[in-house]
Amino acid sequence: MNVHTYEKIWLVASLFLIVGFIATVVYGAAGAGIAMVDASGGTVDSTSLSENERFGEPGVERVGDGEYEVTVVARQFMYQPDPIRVPADSRVTFYVTSADVIHGFQVVGTNVNTMVIPGQVAKITVDFDEPAEYGIICNEYCGQGHHDMEGKLVVVPEDEYGGDDA
Amino acid sequence: MSGRISRAGLLVILAFLVPVIVEFRTLAALFGVSLSVGQYLVAVTGLVMAVLLAVTAWNLRAGTTADDHTGGA
Amino acid sequence: MTSEELPGEELFLDRFPDEAQVVRASLWSAFVALGIGALAGIVQALHRVGYVRFIDSADYYTVLTLHGVLLVISFTIFFLVGLFTWAVTRSLDRPVENIRFTWAWYLTMVAGTVLAGVAILGGFVDSIPISADVLFTFYAPLQAHPLFYAGLAVFIIGTWLAGFDWFRSWWIWRSENDGRIPLQTFMVLTSMLMWYIATIGVAISVVFFLLPWSLGIIDQVNPLLTRTLFWYFGHPVVYFWLMPAYLLWYTVLPSISGGRLFSDPLARVVFVLFLILSTPVGIHHQYLDPGIAEGFKFIAMTNTMFLLLPSLLTAFTVVASMEHGARQRGGEGYLSWLGALPWRDPAFTGMALAGLMFAAGGFSGMVNAGMNINYLIHNTLWVPGHFHLTVGTAVALTFMAATYWLLPQLTRRRLYSRTIGLFQVVMWFVGMVLMSNAMHRAGLVGIPRRTAEPQYDGFAFDAGLSSVAELDAQVAIGGTLLFVSVVLFLGNLIISLLEDPMEGTVDRSLPPALSGPEDSPEVLDNLSLWVAIALLLVLLAYSLPIGAIVADGGLFGPGTESYPVVLSWLEVVT
Amino acid sequence: MATDRELKEIGHDEFDPVGTLTLITVYFLILVGMWVLTYFVEFLGNGPTVVG
């Protein structure tokens, strides 16, 4: 095959680019510690969430020193609980599932973003260092009221954080 | 290049300027310069004028070589 | 071999009158879809930014479904079947084997489109309990009327039959001719093989799950499974849209530029890479899905990144072919040769600008492919910003530009106005620069896609260096320019057809490549080998994830109900 | 229509796509620059992020 020298140079540069992209993403995972949402949340019967041990009562629970678990149910067209209150300087694990169709769960302006699929539990852990107020939006079309589906996440200063009941 | 820049070529050059024009304020802000709307308008008008002048100068330099007329084939 | 010239300068229309009729019908079907889809597009753009609102926000999603389905399925694929019929017929220089069969697949596709279209349009009329506000992605458990799924299935069967038509022409050609597969036919065949492999996913999803479920035969489906099957098809379909544009860039654009294709062998390599790599990547649309292990996502990312290779190679080969044209026209220097290109020709300028926008879309696609960076941009406006550069410009603008070039040989009419044509393609470019630039930036600050409202109640988006209002203005102005551009395109075309037929002929022969097929290894034409490798990669990429999804949630899901998106059944709007 | 005086035939061996190399080098640099900006500034510079 008759490949021009310049084109060979470009082929090598392209491969360099591709490997560079993959290396960056690997750095993000291994170096910066970013984990992908995966299958570790398990599955759940979305037709009987109220009887489910975890999702029967969506809310915030303190599970350790500075560690919290937040159970969220997304449904047309709201999140439970809303707002979600957690203290600053905490490590929060969200368990998010849907009671009906596919939704999104995106904390606006951050890198916290996951799909919410009925039958699946999205489990994501996030460190909140500073007090802040965030909007939560559904970023997957979920029906005619999709644009009304929003929630709030409030990270309150540690000393103002009252209880686990959100 | 020997030829002049045709009107079609100028149209394409101006089209290329559009992203620069619309994001001029953002670009400036990235370098720490905040422009008022008035300053922005002056700046982008200047930018377009500069390009038009450059094209005219180029065409004068290149003389009167005809535009290309081929196309489609 | 790559570009057998039609004897003399005979028009395609004269040499293959029956085929030209099918090609024209396909192209017109595409343009009807383009017109309606563009109308839906402008309604949406202006509603979404809050400038002009005459539809209810609940109906926004009907408009969005119409826009998505008509433009990415009907417009692109009808144009594709027309172009591929032209390409196979002219590059093999033989008529189709049975013109009635050819019309049969065309009519099957039309029937499918009408069925799905009726289901979607039903969403506008409250009194009709038919609707399909499920968007182009139709994720269960949102449920459309069975007509929607049936229409989709019928449409895809039509494309399968079309592929058979082209394969049959090639099989018969092969029995009568020696040598390499002509380049255009090679491109059609590899694209169709990719399509056959890719549509397995959507066929299984629709036939075994969604259609029976919408008819009430089965109670529930596994939403993650049907979603995964959708994306099994949903990524390669974007290459299916793109392949006709590539075919035009490789075989027509060099000639319009006044040059010759730089390398026929590399063009073949590129299409083989697309055949092999297009399908085992779909999970990159599901980086943020629960229920799929990180390792599977990583494999999908690796495949996706290597799928950049054929596009990067294309960038070089196509630009080099244009440069060859420019130099033959007297262009010189490192960059000033660009001035020697035929910028007055709307067919050239359209395709060149489309290619440039594809280079920009390539960048945002690289970001989409980067697994963990999806936390930043997944389902934000960044994503439509990206694909309006790829399918919305690289493909759509190339198709419009190519239509200017194809028109005389298909209709014996000259283009009514080249000036309007030139303005039209430049206007598309400018409109898309504004719109997609704003969308990308809006996505980076977290503004979502697919929503009817510009703002939310409980918080405001922070657009950093600029403002949300400025981004909205760019979307509105850009969207308006795009709509005007489509109107100019269709108007120019219609007026051209009303003019008298032209005298004589036009030269539409395609010169052979600089480095011809004789330079390429024979193995490139061994299609069975590439199909086998493609299937193997699909098995490697998908058997474990799909196995895990079914093992965890069951074939019909861990428990879900149905959510028909039908106005009169669903009383949910708050 | 045709501008024959300018048209010349350039064959495979006498054609060095140096202009293409120039353009594609510029593209390469833009890609690398934009990637670094998007990944390290826009993404990693943004927070909070999913860590588990």
Side-chain angles (χ1 to χ4, degrees), chain A residues 17-32:
Chain A
L17 204 61
I18 288 167
V19 174
F21 289 154
I22 297 174
T24 319
V25 172
V26 171
Y27 165 77

Side-chain angles (χ1 to χ4, degrees), chain C residues 101-114:
Chain C
F101 179 76
T102 306
W103 280 112
W105 60 248
Y106 167 75
L107 292 172
T108 308
M109 288 173 65
V110 172
T113 308
V114 170

Side-chain angles (χ1 to χ4, degrees), chain B residues 2-3 65-66 68, chain C residues 327-331 340, chain D residues 3-8:
Chain B
S2 55
T65 324
D68 59 79
Chain C
R327 301 229 180 263
Q328 292 201 139
R329 297 160 62 93
Chain D
T3 48
D4 300 310
R5 61 199 159 68
E6 282 201 13
L7 289 184
K8 51 184 175 183

Side-chain angles (χ1 to χ4, degrees), chain C residues 290-354:
Chain C
I292 299 176
E294 184 162 2
F296 299 144
K297 294 174 178 174
F298 190 83
I299 291 170
M301 175 180 76
T302 313
N303 289 344
T304 309
M305 289 296 185
F306 278 95
L307 190 49
L308 291 173
L309 194 61
S311 287
L312 292 169
L313 290 177
T314 298
F316 190 97
T317 310
V318 171
V319 175
S321 310
M322 282 162 48
E323 185 184 352
H324 181 252
R327 301 229 180 263
Q328 292 201 139
R329 297 160 62 93
E332 281 159 18
Y334 285 97
L335 289 175
S336 28
W337 57 273
L338 287 167
L341 288 166
W343 295 106
R344 286 193 162 188
D345 180 358
F348 171 80
T349 303
M351 284 197 212
L353 293 177

Side-chain angles (χ1 to χ4, degrees), chain B residues 1-2 4 6-9 11-12 14-16 18-19 22-23 25-26 29-30 58 67-73, chain C residues 255-256 329 336 339-345 349 353 356 405 422-423 426 429-430 433-434 437 441 465 474 507-508:
Chain B
M1 195 192 97
S2 55
R4 307 170 69 223
S6 62
R7 276 183 299 173
L11 185 68
V12 173
L14 289 177
F16 284 168
V18 170
V22 291
E23 289 301 342
R25 282 177 80 186
T26 317
L30 213 55
W58 178 275
D67 290 345
D68 59 79
H69 286 272
T70 38
Chain C
S255 156
I256 302 181
R329 297 160 62 93
S336 28
L341 288 166
W343 295 106
R344 286 193 162 188
D345 180 358
T349 303
L353 293 177
L356 182 70
W405 183 82
L422 186 65
F423 269 102
V426 172
F429 174 81
V430 172
V433 164
L434 293 171
N437 169 60
R441 289 192 41 213
L465 293 173
Q474 283 191 40
D507 182 12
R508 286 291 186 260

